[in-house]
Amino acid sequence: MRNIICLLFIGFLCCNNKDVEREVFRDYTKYHQEALAYSIKNKFNQDYYYLVDLSVHSGKNRFFIYDFKTNKIVDKNIVTHGSCDQFQENPDKWEKVVFSDKENSHCSSKGKYKIGKRDYSSWGINVKYWLHGLEPSNKSAEKRVVVLHSWDAVKNEEIYPKYSPLSWGCPAVSNEFMKKLDVQLQKSNKPVLLWIIE
């Protein structure tokens, strides 16, 4: 009896420990379904797409590679968001993403993007991919030079509760993760969809 009481007490302490954060998993099913339908309709790559959920803390994995064939997220990593502080005060820029498609705003922009041409970057592994906004919320991406690239300052593993550095609107990833994306993108014969949500 004493052993049972001890076990219950330990279980109570563990369940009520405020320092232990429970991982909450968002259901992305509707995004995956819409992404596949969009990819089929627009002749995009139908093997996989990239989903970036900027509602997730920047110190956690929030860039997801989703495999349409296995219906699974097959890889994930940290990604930056824009500081969005050029035309307005943004004291919460580390904690909460503010979106805009205005030129020189340094903001992130929501919506679907076509990943375009591979090009030279002065950042990270010196590779970038042009992003072409496909919706009114991100139509100025190319003009704003919002591109997919890596950055030495971005870690390759979760750093929560610390935050990732802020970008000027680009989804920047770690060098190691960019190497994986670069291999994958170079093999694709069709455009790949990148979708930024919150």
Side-chain angles (χ1 to χ4, degrees), residues 84 86-88 98-109 136-141 143-146 168-169:
C84 204
Q86 290 301 100
F87 302 116
Q88 60 190 9
V98 176
F99 297 95
S100 174
D101 195 39
K102 187 176 179 182
E103 282 191 64
N104 302 314
S105 65
H106 298 171
C107 300
S108 295
S109 298
S137 59
N138 62 11
K139 65 183 183 308
S140 301
K143 194 183 296 184
R144 294 177 58 210
V145 195
V146 172
W168 283 4

Side-chain angles (χ1 to χ4, degrees), residues 23-46:
E23 191 69 36
V24 178
F25 295 100
R26 184 172 176 184
D27 183 3
Y28 296 113
T29 304
K30 69 175 185 176
Y31 293 101
H32 302 329
Q33 291 171 345
E34 186 177 332
L36 178 57
Y38 188 92
S39 296
I40 291 170
K41 181 180 178 182
N42 294 282
K43 296 183 170 57
F44 276 38
N45 187 305
Q46 292 156 41

Side-chain angles (χ1 to χ4, degrees), residues 6-18 20:
C6 286
L7 285 172
L8 288 171
F9 181 72
I10 291 169
F12 177 79
L13 286 177
C14 291
C15 291
N16 288 281
N17 185 349
K18 292 182 180 177
V20 177

